[in-house]
Amino acid sequence: MKRAVIAAFLALTVLVTLRADAVPTMAFGYLSNSSDDKNFDYLESLFTNSFANSLNKLFNVNVIRPGEVDTLLKKHDSSLQKKYQPFEVQDLLEKINADYFINGKFAPLPDNRIKITMSVFARGHNSIFTFTNTGRLETELFKLVDRIALVMTDFFGDENLYRTEVIQPGKKLAILTNIDGPDLNELYHAFLSKGYKLASMQGNYVKNYMDEAEIGHFKYIAAAENQYDIFSDTRTFVFKYGTWASDPYVEKVTYMRNMLKIYDFGYNSVRNELLGKLSARFGGIDNLLVIGFDSGVGSAWVRCINVREKDLVWMQSNITGKSSGDIANKIIERMSTKLQETQ
Amino acid sequence: MSALKSSVTLCILIAFIIASSISCSSRRGLRYSLYPVPAATPVAIIVDSPNNVKNVVLMQFLKSGYRVKAFNASDFYTLDDVYDLKDFKRISYYSGSDTSLISMEKTFNNIYKLHVYNFELNKVETLDEIKNKYNVQYLILLDLKDWEQVSWGRVIDLRTQDIIWVENYPTKYGDNLESVVNHFITSMSKK
């Protein structure tokens, strides 16, 4: 079981990258109107059709627009829904034979602004990437569409890049990683030399307790606005009760229910409370950087949480270098440069 | 002629072996100091070495005028015995083998992450207690290595819990325990 879990885990750790030799198929669902104002319903398919057109221009991809998805689903006595539970998407992808499914929701905001939340699912993976973008409804509508399409371009690129925040020198960082000793010092040296303050998290002991697979758990960051996380198939959470149930059985089932309640459904609030305490103890952390290195310390991935906002603000994969210091310098260069129009 | 060629080849080989054995670790040294750790400051030192080596290290710091507080890493925490994350992970996956719980991957993933956050919180809380109870200002971590390897050190200011000094020092041919420790003391005591 352990081996199977690790194998599945390793398969999941790499965000699916569009390969040049395979033309992937991206299917688009609706962008559901999460407000009560029906006047905005027309945007539900308009947005996703626009994203589909933009991505079609930017990538060598096969695109299935919402109307076409609906037609394909009709062959399976089904139809395209406005909303899906994450675990339902895998069945949908199988039926329409697509590699990715992209849908989302929008909410009109005051001052004629709109908030768009997009979700990206990959076939065969129980992970979800969700990101949020806000813009003006009338004057910036198509700019917003292009911006979101370009966020996806970065995400589907070799680096699986997503970034919403510039982290300038002077900020206080805490770093979680899987290296120690001189490698960790080299990493710290790069950040300190560039003017960042470093909380001593993990640096306050001689050895590191995490290996490459263990740091991999932190590839998944759950947050309210932007996240890359695993989703559960809640259909499998069946806890049967009956007159036949013995006390030990009931005790075990209750224990498991509580585990799910706290660590799955309630994880964000528990994690946020802990992050708040950690930040306070370390004198106020601005950003938590998780940097996972491969065993040869020649390649790394990054996840960054804004500790005050408790949001995922940056993720990137495949950062290569000759040493931990070399990789750290590349990380610093990226995190401190201003965001492009797309980011 | 052939004998001469063999001699030249042998000389080159010997020279190469000598040169490669004299050279230090391929890793370059590095140092960063935010501000100095002055002598007479109360410090706690963690050295991942046997007791006889620890004594030598502590003696060098005492000789240099630091107020070394009695401190053992096992007072701080015992990583392997108390918070064995590897065992914890194994238990999690063992639970997952229950057929009624086939989709608890997210739960286990989250438990591991929360455990790490909790672990880091416990460490920093313990360090805070040590700072307040024993009036320790700096935590010094040292790992001393033989020739051709890299000795390294790190200092944490317990008032802010920030890292304020790091150094990687490729141990030289003529170095001994005292010289490496003295090198680190000199390095951390200046800006």
Side-chain angles (χ1 to χ4, degrees):
Chain A
M1 179 64 188
K2 183 182 175 184
R3 194 173 293 177
V5 171
I6 292 171
F9 169 76
L10 289 173
L12 282 169
T13 51
V14 182
L15 285 167
V16 184
T17 302
L18 297 186
R19 298 199 321 261
D21 58 338
V23 179
T25 302
M26 286 183 183
F28 286 82
Y30 295 116
L31 210 65
S32 67
N33 178 6
S34 52
S35 76
D36 295 328
D37 193 339
K38 302 289 177 196
N39 291 322
F40 291 103
D41 281 358
Y42 73 99
L43 291 171
E44 290 185 326
S45 57
L46 186 145
F47 265 129
T48 44
N49 276 318
S50 302
F51 295 138
N53 291 337
S54 287
L55 278 175
N56 213 1
K57 282 180 203 160
L58 293 164
F59 272 131
N60 181 24
V61 288
N62 297 320
V63 164
I64 311 178
R65 290 169 180 80
E68 295 161 331
V69 173
D70 192 51
T71 307
L72 286 169
L73 286 174
K74 290 250 176 341
K75 292 176 188 168
H76 298 272
D77 296 328
S78 183
S79 60
L80 182 62
Q81 304 298 307
K82 287 186 180 178
K83 291 177 190 172
Y84 283 96
Q85 291 293 325
F87 55 79
E88 293 172 324
V89 172
Q90 289 303 319
D91 294 339
L92 181 146
L93 283 166
E94 290 291 329
K95 283 176 185 164
I96 61 175
N97 194 25
D99 299 302
Y100 300 95
F101 182 68
I102 299 162
N103 71 345
K105 61 183 179 182
F106 68 87
L109 301 173
D111 299 328
N112 210 23
R113 293 171 69 80
I114 187 167
K115 179 173 147 182
I116 295 180
T117 304
M118 301 294 295
S119 295
V120 182
F121 301 86
R123 191 173 178 178
H125 296 259
N126 64 340
S127 53
I128 177 174
F129 170 50
T130 304
F131 63 96
T132 303
N133 223 306
T134 305
R136 290 209 171 273
L137 189 53
E138 284 165 11
T139 52
E140 288 184 0
L141 192 59
F142 289 100
K143 205 174 165 186
L144 187 62
V145 167
D146 283 345
R147 201 157 67 210
I148 289 174
L150 288 168
V151 168
M152 286 189 213
T153 309
D154 282 340
F155 174 71
F156 285 120
D158 288 340
E159 290 184 320
N160 308 128
L161 175 67
Y162 176 69
R163 195 166 75 109
T164 63
E165 187 177 302
V166 180
I167 305 161
Q168 296 282 13
K171 294 269 186 186
K172 184 159 175 172
L173 311 175
I175 299 176
L176 272 179
T177 184
N178 58 325
I179 56 172
D180 57 15
D183 285 331
L184 185 58
N185 263 10
E186 224 175 291
L187 181 83
Y188 286 159
H189 182 266
F191 282 95
L192 290 166
S193 305
K194 295 281 179 356
Y196 292 93
K197 292 176 196 159
L198 283 186
S200 57
M201 182 186 287
Q202 267 194 335
N204 54 21
Y205 196 57
V206 204
K207 290 175 182 168
N208 198 322
Y209 48 84
M210 277 198 273
D211 60 24
E212 190 183 350
E214 285 159 344
I215 190 79
H217 288 281
F218 285 88
K219 279 194 167 179
Y220 302 105
I221 304 288
E225 296 286 327
N226 308 308
Q227 65 170 350
Y228 177 61
D229 199 18
I230 306 170
F231 57 81
S232 298
D233 186 347
T234 49
R235 292 172 297 190
T236 63
F237 297 162
V238 180
F239 300 110
K240 292 175 182 167
Y241 286 96
T243 49
W244 47 266
S246 63
D247 285 349
Y249 173 84
V250 172
E251 192 181 333
K252 182 182 167 190
V253 165
T254 307
Y255 175 73
M256 287 302 175
R257 280 172 68 105
N258 287 338
M259 271 183 69
L260 284 171
K261 201 172 159 187
I262 298 166
Y263 300 113
D264 191 324
F265 308 125
Y267 168 73
N268 278 12
S269 62
V270 179
R271 191 270 322 265
N272 288 349
E273 193 185 331
L274 264 176
L275 280 181
K277 284 181 183 172
L278 267 172
S279 177
R281 284 286 180 176
F282 282 105
I285 299 168
D286 294 306
N287 293 87
L288 172 66
L289 267 179
V290 185
I291 307 175
F293 286 89
D294 68 351
S295 53
V297 196
S299 161
W301 53 264
V302 173
R303 301 287 183 270
C304 181
I305 300 174
N306 180 316
V307 176
R308 295 176 208 282
E309 303 291 330
K310 313 285 188 297
D311 208 5
L312 174 68
V313 293
W314 176 28
M315 65 175 181
Q316 191 176 339
S317 303
N318 302 322
I319 308 163
T320 56
K322 292 173 193 162
S323 65
S324 56
D326 193 22
I327 289 172
N329 282 324
K330 289 181 180 175
I331 288 171
I332 294 162
E333 193 182 339
R334 178 58 69 94
M335 68 196 256
S336 57
T337 51
K338 72 173 191 177
L339 299 170
Q340 293 173 13
E341 185 63 19
T342 62
Q343 296 174 349
Chain B
M1 191 65 186
S2 155
L4 182 66
K5 245 185 183 175
S6 301
S7 306
V8 170
T9 310
L10 190 65
C11 286
I12 291 170
L13 191 66
I14 290 167
F16 176 75
I17 290 167
I18 291 170
S20 57
S21 63
I22 286 173
S23 67
C24 298
S25 159
S26 59
R27 191 189 287 271
R28 68 183 178 89
L30 54 84
R31 174 185 179 273
Y32 179 86
S33 173
L34 193 59
Y35 46 86
V37 182
T41 312
V43 297
I45 302 166
I46 293 179
V47 190
D48 189 29
S49 300
N51 278 336
N52 54 340
V53 174
K54 277 181 195 167
N55 282 344
V56 176
V57 174
L58 299 182
M59 212 162 71
Q60 295 304 316
F61 274 89
L62 287 165
K63 271 187 191 171
S64 301
Y66 287 93
R67 288 159 55 199
V68 182
K69 300 284 179 177
F71 183 80
N72 198 318
S74 59
D75 301 335
F76 180 22
Y77 58 68
T78 34
L79 190 72
D80 296 331
D81 299 337
V82 182
Y83 300 102
D84 196 327
L85 299 179
K86 286 184 173 64
D87 274 359
F88 182 80
K89 192 176 78 170
R90 190 176 70 236
I91 291 164
S92 299
Y93 286 144
Y94 175 73
S95 306
S97 66
D98 190 317
T99 50
S100 68
L101 295 163
I102 53 171
S103 188
M104 291 189 77
E105 183 189 352
K106 183 177 177 178
T107 307
F108 298 142
N109 189 288
N110 287 344
I111 288 173
Y112 183 83
K113 288 185 284 195
L114 290 177
H115 196 64
V116 168
Y117 290 137
N118 254 319
F119 179 51
E120 293 300 332
L121 185 61
N122 285 339
K123 274 197 299 177
V124 73
E125 282 175 349
T126 308
L127 284 174
D128 246 358
E129 277 176 32
I130 288 168
K131 179 196 75 182
N132 296 331
K133 206 168 177 180
Y134 302 104
N135 186 32
V136 178
Q137 278 188 31
Y138 297 98
L139 179 71
I140 299 169
L141 296 107
L142 294 175
D143 194 13
L144 307 165
K145 298 288 187 189
D146 289 334
W147 173 46
E148 286 195 312
Q149 296 179 58
V150 177
S151 298
W152 62 268
R154 200 178 295 149
V155 173
I156 292 154
D157 187 335
L158 294 180
R159 293 166 298 186
T160 58
Q161 300 292 350
D162 284 355
I163 293 169
I164 61 151
W165 174 82
V166 290
E167 178 161 7
N168 283 354
Y169 175 70
T171 310
K172 292 175 185 155
Y173 177 66
D175 273 326
N176 56 35
L177 187 56
E178 287 92 340
S179 69
V180 175
V181 177
N182 284 332
H183 169 86
F184 281 142
I185 291 172
T186 309
S187 171
M188 72 179 69
S189 60
K190 66 181 182 192
K191 174 74 175 84

